[in-house]
Amino acid sequence: MKLVFVLFILIQSLQCWAQSLVDGEISGNLEAQSRHSWNNQAAKDELMQDWDEEDFYLFYGNLNGKLNFKNSRFETNLFARHSQSDLYKDRSPSQPYLAPLLFSFPNKLVARDVLKLKHETGDDNSRTEYVLNKLYYEWDYDEHRFIAGRMYINYGLGEIFNPINPFNQPTGLTAISQIAQGNDGLNFTFYASEKHTIDYYFLGDKTLDGYENQIQKTLWIHGEYQFSNELQLDYVVGEDQNRLKLGGQFRYNFPEAMVFMQTLFQTDYTDDKESHPLFDVLLGYDQQLTNKWHIRAEGGYQKKNRFSGLTSINDRFLPTEYFIALANQYEIHPLLKLGGTIVNDIKTGFTYLIMRNTLDLGHNTEAEIFGYLPVAKGSGIENDAQKLVTTDIGVALRTFF
Amino acid sequence: MYKILFRKDFVFCLALGANANNAQEWSKYAENQMRGAHSHSEIEMTIKTPNWERTLEINSDVEGKKLALSTITSPAKEKGIRTLRIDNNMWNYFPKLKRKVAVSSSMLLASWMGSDFTNDDVLKASSMAEDYQHKFLPNQKKSGVDFRVIENIAKSNSKVMWPKIITYASKVDCLPREYQYYDKQDQLKRILYLDDIKTFDGHKVPTKWVMQPQNDKDKKTTIIYKKMTFKTDFKASYFSHKNLTDY
């Protein structure tokens, strides 16, 4: 199966390479980050995270390749990441330090994979990984498009929480921004009319039950319907990771602002494993207040999966159940943008402040100063992930080519 | 010489000049010349401050007043970012992440890539001829040149960001050389200077546009139209989501 898949992609690519109408492009980015982190007392006392202050260094980059042909294209992306910190100390496998999972989120670079296409190494103070997280061939026709391979699936308006899209985690709060998750399978897009687009996905997933077991299938439909000049509706329905899922997004565009709502319902596992239904809701508001100042508010509820434990921070960055978030971005100079997001868990009072200030250095290079600050710990915390949140300050330097 | 005298635009401009009550026609004429029914242009935009300068290159496709598609072709950081406008709806597309994002129509007033132009300017979302009422003010002379001065006041039902714009138009070719933009408090906020008129497919177009914000006179943004054609015939599906994501 794997061999057939790789050969199929390879043959198609070679055939097209041979055609005369080839137009290629290589692009990418590189980024270096350094952060100093102070541990949360609750993590030390209750979660055996016995460290006080540590430094964390992260280097990552993307290399994108694209070959355009007359009615088709081949695209690939290699993502490489190297992180270094004493927090990778070799402790017992059941008690690792968990902070690096937050510092390098998203940790799972391929959301639904049939093939590994990755290489990981690590020692007592570092981790290195290379992932081919995009590798596909695309055919374009008048009213439809067909993709085969490892692809990005990127839809939904939520920047902090985006429940209708289980195939790509939003990176609005994370330190790694130039990343999307890959998904293995097939995609058929049907442009039914100028107002209606339907995407059909057939994906495979081996990560859910491990590589030794059978491939779990995902059958997914995402539709986008422009109901009127102001109103757009999205719908999603399908079977994914052994659950049946149904949801949608509503967007209304007022002259002054855009409001949107998302909801996703997930049934119990279809294969009788211990589970319970899940339900997520998101409300959003987006407005350009002046020509320099942009605000976005997102609030919602994500049903906690009580069977997932702390490892769930692999899947979702936001450690809250009921939350409200306000994100501001202000351009004080064409070179300097100030960004600040405050996230509050309505139930516990836990409040998290994230600052990101970006300075354009010219020559396709920019620097960023960032800070992550849990400003209120909250009371009666049941969510262990909130106890893990550290206080961090850091700098990043990134370049694009 | 005869050819020049009998060119449609030249005759039309002469006729306009003779009619003092035709401020609306002056605006229509300028918009027709500069915008046409549909156009494709290759633009170089330079944002300049005393210590810093940045240049972007953009391809811009416009059809009528409701459809526009722009693509950044340089620098590497922004290369490939596309914006589609269909009526009042806008979508940005980031090809490296394959992400299409619907943006609020209030984003039309946002600064475009840190420049002194807004999304509204780049996507040509508003129409001077249709969204404003026009009347002549007394003629003025600037640097020895005579200008017709037109006051453009936003119609009550139009969704535009500038309630008042003053146009200084050349008496020779009827094309604007300066737009002054006033906010709701009637404060002059920015001035757009137009220069270097060239002819593309029979349309006379100022190819150098300099936007000067009034609250920061050390900063300015210059647009140079490097290429422009009005003969582009876009396919029916050109301004579509499919084409937006086909990059």
Side-chain angles (χ1 to χ4, degrees):
Chain A
M1 170 69 188
K2 285 181 189 176
L3 191 64
V4 170
F5 182 77
V6 171
L7 282 174
F8 178 69
I9 295 285
L10 203 63
I11 290 166
Q12 281 297 329
S13 310
L14 287 171
Q15 274 181 347
C16 295
W17 185 270
Q19 290 175 12
S20 55
L21 293 165
V22 175
D23 157 32
E25 186 182 302
I26 288 177
S27 62
N29 69 287
L30 291 169
E31 179 165 339
Q33 285 184 12
S34 168
R35 78 162 77 194
H36 189 76
S37 183
W38 290 266
N39 198 10
N40 192 330
Q41 192 61 42
K44 280 194 271 187
D45 298 344
E46 299 168 41
L47 302 172
M48 316 218 3
Q49 303 292 305
D50 56 339
W51 58 276
D52 294 315
E53 291 180 36
E54 285 295 345
D55 292 317
F56 187 85
Y57 304 99
L58 177 70
F59 308 91
Y60 77 92
N62 286 283
L63 182 65
N64 302 295
K66 185 159 75 172
L67 289 172
N68 289 314
F69 310 102
K70 196 180 173 190
N71 288 311
S72 64
R73 70 161 57 107
F74 173 73
E75 284 202 37
T76 182
N77 174 270
L78 174 68
F79 180 83
R81 172 164 60 185
H82 174 77
S83 38
Q84 213 166 323
S85 173
D86 286 344
L87 292 170
Y88 287 117
K89 256 184 231 167
D90 192 15
R91 306 209 312 166
S92 80
S94 60
Q95 293 295 335
Y97 287 133
L98 295 166
L101 292 176
L102 291 172
F103 301 160
S104 58
F105 191 94
N107 300 288
K108 199 173 162 184
L109 296 166
V110 181
R112 303 287 180 270
D113 62 346
V114 176
L115 307 170
K116 277 191 174 175
L117 300 178
K118 69 178 173 187
H119 177 70
E120 288 174 291
T121 57
D123 57 29
D124 229 15
N125 75 343
S126 73
R127 293 283 182 280
T128 304
E129 60 196 314
Y130 305 93
V131 181
L132 212 50
N133 67 338
K134 182 166 74 174
L135 178 73
Y136 69 78
Y137 195 80
E138 174 186 310
W139 292 263
D140 251 309
Y141 303 95
D142 283 348
E143 287 170 355
H144 46 271
R145 181 177 287 160
F146 184 72
I147 294 176
R150 178 166 287 180
M151 69 195 90
Y152 296 159
I153 302 175
N154 221 335
Y155 62 84
L157 282 167
E159 286 180 2
I160 294 167
F161 182 42
N162 192 36
I164 63 164
N165 185 351
F167 312 110
N168 195 58
Q169 284 303 309
T171 53
L173 299 179
T174 65
I176 295 181
S177 53
Q178 306 294 320
I179 179 73
Q181 290 167 293
N183 295 274
D184 288 349
L186 308 171
N187 166 224
F188 175 73
T189 308
F190 178 52
Y191 295 88
S193 72
E194 282 177 20
K195 294 182 173 183
H196 193 191
T197 305
I198 310 164
D199 272 299
Y200 302 89
Y201 296 98
F202 178 51
L203 310 172
D205 187 14
K206 293 203 86 170
T207 50
L208 192 64
D209 290 328
Y211 283 88
E212 304 313 314
N213 296 313
Q214 66 174 31
I215 300 170
Q216 300 291 335
K217 70 174 183 298
T218 291
L219 291 166
W220 194 254
I221 296 173
H222 165 235
E224 200 180 277
Y225 185 69
Q226 189 76 36
F227 196 76
S228 71
N229 207 7
E230 291 82 20
L231 178 64
Q232 183 182 304
L233 300 172
D234 284 46
Y235 53 87
V236 293
V237 60
E239 182 183 345
D240 174 49
Q241 297 201 321
N242 285 334
R243 291 179 190 268
L244 299 175
K245 302 180 182 181
L246 175 69
Q249 177 179 270
F250 154 101
R251 172 178 77 94
Y252 196 88
N253 209 0
F254 291 98
E256 297 79 19
M258 177 172 75
V259 291
F260 55 96
M261 194 187 105
Q262 282 186 16
T263 184
L264 184 75
F265 174 75
Q266 306 180 46
T267 64
D268 294 346
Y269 284 135
T270 51
D271 57 359
D272 290 335
K273 279 186 188 166
E274 194 177 22
S275 67
H276 59 119
L278 298 173
F279 182 63
D280 299 320
V281 176
L282 171 76
L283 291 170
Y285 177 90
D286 187 284
Q287 184 176 8
Q288 186 73 29
L289 286 175
T290 69
N291 68 339
K292 308 278 184 201
W293 186 14
H294 181 255
I295 62 159
R296 168 173 283 238
E298 288 186 18
Y301 167 72
Q302 51 177 342
K303 173 95 174 173
K304 192 180 160 194
N305 185 351
R306 61 177 182 267
F307 298 99
S308 64
L310 272 174
T311 53
S312 65
I313 53 176
N314 267 328
D315 300 326
R316 286 181 177 177
F317 180 78
L318 192 66
T320 59
E321 195 173 5
Y322 293 87
F323 77 98
I324 186 156
L326 178 67
N328 282 274
Q329 190 168 66
Y330 192 81
E331 182 191 303
I332 56 173
H333 185 275
L335 292 174
L336 182 60
K337 288 192 184 87
L338 304 183
T341 303
I342 191 150
V343 185
N344 173 257
D345 184 329
I346 302 160
K347 199 171 163 188
T348 66
F350 169 78
T351 307
Y352 199 19
L353 176 67
I354 296 160
M355 306 289 288
R356 287 172 122 182
N357 306 320
T358 312
L359 178 67
D360 191 325
L361 302 172
H363 308 290
N364 291 309
T365 305
E366 64 184 27
E368 185 174 285
I369 298 173
F370 60 87
Y372 288 78
L373 188 66
V375 287
K377 288 180 181 172
S379 56
I381 300 175
E382 293 165 7
N383 187 338
D384 279 342
Q386 289 184 5
K387 296 174 189 168
L388 284 175
V389 171
T390 53
T391 302
D392 308 322
I393 186 157
V395 290
L397 185 69
R398 65 179 69 103
T399 186
F400 299 83
F401 56 91
Chain B
M1 181 64 189
Y2 289 112
K3 266 186 181 173
I4 293 170
L5 279 175
F6 285 98
R7 264 175 52 175
K8 208 168 100 188
D9 56 346
F10 189 74
V11 174
F12 184 69
C13 186
L14 283 178
L16 276 180
N19 188 346
N21 298 319
N22 247 339
Q24 167 77 14
E25 290 303 314
W26 276 64
S27 289
K28 266 191 192 167
Y29 172 75
E31 198 157 284
N32 260 343
Q33 284 294 307
M34 291 156 59
R35 183 169 177 153
H38 37 72
S39 64
H40 167 83
S41 38
E42 291 177 27
I43 300 164
E44 187 180 274
M45 177 186 276
T46 305
I47 309 160
K48 199 169 185 178
T49 69
N51 316 312
W52 167 84
E53 187 175 307
R54 182 174 191 230
T55 300
L56 296 128
E57 289 177 15
I58 310 131
N59 284 351
S60 171
D61 298 308
V62 180
E63 179 149 310
K65 294 169 180 77
K66 292 187 173 177
L67 302 171
L69 178 66
S70 71
T71 308
I72 300 175
T73 56
S74 171
K77 186 184 156 194
E78 284 94 3
K79 188 177 178 185
I81 296 177
R82 308 186 101 187
T83 305
L84 172 70
R85 183 174 67 80
I86 301 175
D87 216 336
N88 287 329
N89 285 295
M90 274 170 52
W91 294 266
N92 284 333
Y93 180 64
F94 303 91
K96 284 170 194 162
L97 301 178
K98 295 280 163 197
R99 181 163 165 76
K100 182 182 80 173
V101 194
V103 292
S104 165
S105 49
S106 64
M107 284 291 284
L108 282 172
L109 66 90
S111 158
W112 195 85
M113 294 288 159
S115 74
D116 299 297
F117 288 89
T118 61
N119 279 312
D120 182 277
D121 299 319
V122 174
L123 295 169
K124 299 184 190 295
S126 54
S127 157
M128 183 75 88
E130 287 182 9
D131 295 327
Y132 289 84
Q133 287 177 319
H134 319 272
K135 76 169 185 189
F136 281 122
L137 298 178
N139 291 352
Q140 279 191 37
K141 203 170 216 178
K142 280 188 169 192
S143 311
V145 181
D146 280 327
F147 289 103
R148 296 304 306 260
V149 184
I150 302 169
E151 183 186 64
N152 309 280
I153 302 289
K155 290 178 182 170
S156 56
N157 60 347
S158 62
K159 295 166 186 169
V160 292
M161 59 180 291
W162 301 103
K164 184 172 103 178
I165 302 172
I166 303 289
T167 309
Y168 288 77
S170 159
K171 284 185 168 181
V172 177
D173 56 21
C174 303
L175 292 177
R177 294 293 191 277
E178 187 175 320
Y179 286 119
Q180 297 181 348
Y181 296 83
Y182 290 81
D183 67 5
K184 285 176 186 163
Q185 285 74 43
D186 206 27
Q187 297 286 311
L188 178 61
K189 299 304 282 185
R190 59 180 203 170
I191 301 176
L192 176 62
Y193 299 98
L194 303 114
D195 197 8
D196 202 4
I197 310 281
K198 288 183 184 164
T199 303
F200 301 98
D201 301 327
H203 288 253
K204 287 193 288 185
V205 179
T207 55
K208 185 180 179 189
W209 300 31
V210 181
M211 187 67 88
Q212 178 69 70
Q214 294 302 289
N215 58 358
D216 184 1
K217 293 199 175 175
D218 289 335
K219 190 184 164 215
K220 66 179 179 184
T221 302
T222 304
I223 279 180
I224 304 288
Y225 280 85
K226 290 159 67 182
K227 284 183 187 169
M228 200 166 189
T229 175
F230 293 90
K231 287 185 175 165
T232 309
D233 195 10
F234 297 115
K235 281 199 293 188
S237 59
Y238 189 80
F239 298 95
S240 65
H241 292 262
K242 181 171 188 289
N243 194 30
L244 174 71
T245 55
D246 187 15
Y247 191 88

